[in-house]
Amino acid sequence: MLKVDELSVHYGGIHALQGISLEVPDGAIVSLIGANGAGKSTTLRTIVGLVKASGGAVSWNGDRITGLATKDVVARGVCLVPEGRHVFPNLTVDENLILGAYSRKDRPGIAADRDKVFALFPRLQERMRQKAGTLSGGEQQMLAVGRALMTRPRLLMMDEPSLGLAPLVVKMIFDIVKTINAEGVTVLLVEQNAKAALEIADFGYVLETGRITLSGPGKQLLADEGVRKAYLGDVKPVGAVAR
Amino acid sequence: MTLALFLQHLANALSLGSLYALIAIGYTMVYGILRLINFAHGDVFMLGAYLAFYSVATFMLPWWGALLLAVLLTAAFGVGLEWVAYRPLRDSPRISVMISAIGASFLIENVAIVLFGGRPKGVTVPDVMNVKLTLGGVSIMSVSLVIPIITFVALAVLLWVVQRTRVGMAMRAVSTDLDAARLQAIDVNRIVSFTFGTGSLLAGVGGIMWSYKYPQLNPLMGVMPGLKCFIAAVIGGIGNIPGAVLGGFLLGGIELLTIAFLPTLTGYRDAFAFVLLIVVLLVKPSGLLGGAAVEKV
C-alpha cells in the first residue's frame, strides 16, 4: 500500500502541493483528477523521487521512501509512466524494453516479461527493431507502458496516458490498464480525462491548486454535482448522459 | 612543392589531427551525456602529461608503466572532478555548471603552477617513440605513427561500447532523457562517472602522446589544445563521437596544410581553426555530422 501523508512541494516561491494525503490500497485502481496545474504530475513525480518534497512523507508498504533516489524507488517496485511518454527516441523498441529491466539481473525473468509485453502489445513486437522515435503517439504510449512493466512494478503510476491520443487508442490503453491491474498490479492514475479515469477507478481523489478537495469511490465522484460541473463538462443529472 | 614534401605535410597533419581527435572525443562524450562543456578538459590533458613525467622522473618507472599509471590516475581525476565540480549542480541551471567548469579549469591550472612550477620541463621521450621512420622521402617519428593507431582503436572500441553494450545503451538513454533514464532505475551517476572516466582517460593518453611529440611541459600547455579540440568537437557535431574524430582531422589538416601552402601565414595557424569554426557554424550550426537539434517539449 502506498501512503502519502501531508506531502508538500515548493517550486521556488510557488507552493505546488500544500499538504496532500492519499492512500492507494494494494490491488486497487486509484485515480487522481484535477485541472491543469493542480499538482497532479507533481504528486507522482514526488512519489517517485524526481521532485524533492519540502514536507510530509510517502511510505510504500510501511517503508518511508521520501528522499530516496528515483532508481531506488523504482527498484522497490514503484514505477511511473511519465506524461508525454518519454520513450528514448534514438533507441529501438527492443532496446527501450531492455532498458526498462536495467536494474534487474534475472535473465529468464526479463525474457519472460518481454514476451508478456509483446503479448499485451503485439504491435510492439512487429516494430521491435524500429527506432522508438518513428512510432505513432499511441504506439509510443504502448512502449512507455511496456517499458514500465519491464521494471516489474507492484505499483504502476501513469501520468496522463490518454493525452493527445485518438479515442480508440485511449480505450485500448484503459483496457490494458484494467488487464494489468487484474494481474495484481496496483495502479495510480492521473488524468484530465476525468470520466474515463473515474469509470475504471475503485477510488478517486480531486486535486485543486495543490490540495485534495474531494475523495470517494470512483462511481460516487462521477455522480457528484461539483465534479460533473468542473471536470465532466455537463450539468445533466446522472443517468441522463447520452452515450 | 614536391610530392614528397606534400606527403610529408600530410603525414604530419594526420598525426596532429588524430591527437586532436583523441582529446575532442572527451568533450563530445561529456557534452552528449550532460549537455555540459567541460572547460577543464584541456587541463586534464595537461595533468596526464605531468603525471607520466613524474612517474618517470620521481618514481623511476619504465615509460610504459608510467604511461599506464598516469592514464589511470588521469581517468580517476576526471571522475573526481565531475564528483566535486559538476555533480552537486546536476539539477542547476546550465550557466551555473558552466561557471563551475571555468572555475575548475583556472583552479587546476593555478594549482599546477604551484605544484609543478611555472618553468617548462623537458620530457625524456622513450626510445621506441623516438625512432625516425623513413618511407619514400617521407620521414616521421614513430610516435606520430602510434597516435593515429591509438585514435582509431579508441574510436572503434567506443563505438562498440555505445552501440552494442548495456552501459552504452544506458549512455544513449541518459543523453536523450535524464528523467526517463532515472525512471528505468538506471544509475545516472554511475553512467556519468563512466563517461568522465573514459573521456579523461583519452585526454590523459593524448597529453602523454603530446609530450612525446613536443617534449616540453608547462602548466598551461592544455589551454590551446583544449580550446582547439573543443572547436574540433563542435565542427564535427558536438555529442557525436565520429564527428569529433572528423573535426580533429579537419583541424589538424587545415593547420598543417596552411603551413605547407601558405608558409607566410604560418603565424596565423591558430586563427585558421577559428575561421573554420565560424564557417561551419554559419553553414551547418549543428556541426558536420550532428543531427538537427531536437528541442525537448
Side-chain angles (χ1 to χ4, degrees), chain B residues 231-238 247 250-251 254 273-290:
Chain B
I231 293 174
V234 173
I235 287 172
I238 195 153
L250 272 180
L251 213 57
I254 287 218
F274 296 99
V275 171
L276 180 65
L277 174 71
I278 292 169
V279 171
V280 169
L281 286 182
L282 284 176
V283 177
K284 197 163 184 299
S286 54
L288 294 175
L289 299 187

Side-chain angles (χ1 to χ4, degrees), chain B residues 62-119:
Chain B
W63 70 270
W64 51 269
L67 188 132
L68 205 67
L69 178 69
V71 162
L72 290 179
L73 285 178
T74 313
F77 181 84
V79 173
L81 172 72
E82 188 272 329
W83 206 66
V84 172
Y86 306 137
R87 184 165 302 181
L89 300 170
R90 183 68 49 78
D91 293 308
S92 308
R94 251 193 265 170
I95 189 80
S96 314
V97 192
M98 200 160 99
I99 292 167
S100 183
I102 295 171
S105 168
F106 283 138
L107 182 69
I108 297 169
E109 283 162 19
N110 287 289
V111 169
I113 291 175
V114 173
L115 286 181
F116 306 147
R119 257 197 285 161

Side-chain angles (χ1 to χ4, degrees), chain A residues 45 48 50 70-71 74-75 80 82 86 88-91 95 98-105 147 151, chain B residues 163-164 166-167 169-170 172-188 191 297:
Chain A
R45 291 173 63 84
V48 81
L50 287 175
T70 301
K71 69 178 171 67
V74 175
L80 170 66
H86 287 268
F88 301 114
N90 54 343
L91 270 64
E95 286 176 330
I98 293 169
L99 272 184
Y102 193 77
S103 64
R104 295 170 53 191
K105 299 277 175 278
R147 186 181 63 179
T151 67
Chain B
Q163 293 302 330
R164 292 275 174 267
R166 245 166 71 90
V167 66
M169 215 192 285
R172 282 182 284 150
V174 171
S175 80
T176 43
D177 200 327
L178 201 60
D179 276 352
R182 285 177 173 143
L183 285 174
Q184 305 328 122
I186 292 171
D187 190 339
V188 172
I191 299 295
V297 273

